[in-house]
Amino acid sequence: MTTTRVRLPRQFRPTLSQSLTIIGLIITISCIAIALLAPTLQNIGWLQDPVEALANPIHEAPGADYWFGTTRQGYDVFSRTLFGTQAALKVVILATTISLILGVPLGLVSGYLGGRIDKVLLFFMDTIYTLPGLLLSVTLAFVVGKGVLNAALALSIAYVPQYYRIVRNHTTSVKTELFIEAAQAMGAPTSRILSRYLFFNVIQSVPVLFTLNAADAILILGGLGFLGLGLPPEVPEWGHDLRLALDALPTGIWWSATFPGLAMTTMVTGLSLVGEGLSDILNPGVKIR
């Protein structure tokens, strides 16, 4: 008996880019679900308290009792890894949202008005843009201190120039279009031109930048935590856990660093894949074939 293989028409076959985007979405949605469900899982007794050490601190290897093992300080690695997802999402969403709220309006105003305002803002933003993101975040973290909001503020400053530059460049191009000149000739106020005619024509790349910045922010937050500058010690955070695990690695406690590191890598990979997929969808003209 012979079997026939059903082949989908070419238009229904996912490309490699689409497949990677789907994988990225699955990873990202899974991370969000973990962050939302972690407190509930703890309340029903399926997760240990991430900030409560064992009564007799002793490191346990991964097994039936502790899936990811325990740290040398007696913390459950599985619980801290899951709650670390929640902390990362809080900081990253806040940081990227703050930078978007600041960068997009500044880019619109600078690109549309031009002149001295444009020169001053461009100089200021280019100065910030030339500084390495981690170095800038470390410096600001020293100033503002620890905490979710403070860490988000320290991260957001590094991303404001990126939103500003991409929106400003698009605005500079679009403001010479006929429909903008027609709105000006009809006496439309500047605020209306910016919000109604320009805004929706210059934000095509903002979702892509938002997603890629979120992936980058996770790495920088991990760096801040590793240096002891991110969140308070009582908040489960991957970078802080990696710092605690550093001294334990020579003693063979590999699991205390492996699982937080894998969680960070997985989340960054998922967001990066989503960002690349959005870039292909929103900017098909620059897609490499």
Side-chain angles (χ1 to χ4, degrees):
M1 181 178 179
T2 59
T3 59
T4 58
R5 297 178 61 185
V6 178
R7 297 181 63 86
L8 292 174
R10 182 174 296 274
Q11 60 268 30
F12 295 112
R13 297 180 203 165
T15 63
L16 177 61
S17 176
Q18 291 170 339
S19 300
L20 292 176
T21 304
I22 292 172
I23 294 173
L25 282 172
I26 293 173
I27 294 173
T28 303
I29 293 172
S30 299
C31 290
I32 294 173
I34 289 172
L36 294 175
L37 291 175
T40 303
L41 295 177
Q42 181 190 352
N43 291 335
I44 63 178
W46 288 12
L47 281 180
Q48 299 286 338
D49 191 329
V51 298
E52 182 178 342
L54 302 178
N56 298 311
I58 182 173
H59 59 271
E60 296 278 353
D65 294 332
Y66 302 98
W67 292 356
F68 288 0
T70 63
T71 67
R72 193 167 62 173
Q73 296 80 18
Y75 296 109
D76 180 40
V77 177
F78 181 68
S79 179
R80 289 189 67 84
T81 301
L82 264 62
F83 273 91
T85 307
Q86 185 182 76
L89 281 174
K90 284 181 180 178
V91 175
V92 166
I93 290 174
L94 271 174
T96 48
T97 301
I98 292 172
S99 56
L100 185 150
I101 291 173
L102 293 175
V104 171
L106 288 175
L108 278 170
V109 172
S110 180
Y112 180 71
L113 296 181
R116 183 173 298 178
I117 292 178
D118 182 49
K119 291 180 180 179
V120 171
L121 285 174
L122 190 59
F123 173 79
F124 183 69
M125 292 296 174
D126 283 349
T127 302
I128 299 177
Y129 188 73
T130 57
L131 300 174
L134 179 58
L135 177 61
L136 182 60
S137 298
V138 168
T139 304
L140 292 173
F142 270 115
V143 176
V144 299
K146 298 180 180 180
V148 172
L149 181 58
N150 290 342
L153 288 172
L155 289 171
S156 64
I157 301 301
Y159 300 123
V160 171
Q162 298 183 32
Y163 290 99
Y164 166 82
R165 287 163 64 95
I166 195 169
V167 171
R168 175 198 173 272
N169 292 340
H170 285 172
T171 302
T172 303
S173 300
V174 174
K175 73 176 184 179
T176 59
E177 297 290 339
L178 292 177
F179 68 94
I180 299 295
E181 294 180 356
Q184 294 170 339
M186 294 174 64
T190 300
S191 58
R192 184 177 183 183
I193 293 175
L194 291 176
S195 61
R196 183 172 180 179
Y197 298 106
L198 278 174
F199 178 77
F200 293 103
N201 285 282
V202 301
I203 61 168
Q204 296 90 341
S205 299
V206 168
V208 178
L209 188 59
F210 185 92
T211 308
L212 296 178
N213 280 348
D216 185 65
I218 290 173
L219 294 176
I220 296 181
L221 176 64
L224 292 178
F226 189 82
L227 296 173
L229 298 172
L231 304 182
E234 63 271 14
V235 179
E237 194 271 316
W238 296 328
H240 177 68
D241 288 351
L242 289 174
R243 182 191 182 193
L244 294 178
L246 187 62
D247 295 334
L249 287 177
T251 63
I253 310 177
W254 54 268
W255 52 86
S256 60
T258 300
F259 293 109
L262 284 175
M264 185 186 301
T265 303
T266 300
M267 193 169 179
V268 169
T269 301
L271 287 168
S272 299
L273 291 176
V274 172
E276 293 296 333
L278 285 175
S279 179
D280 289 342
I281 294 171
L282 299 176
N283 304 292
V286 298
K287 182 178 178 181
I288 299 175
R289 300 182 181 278

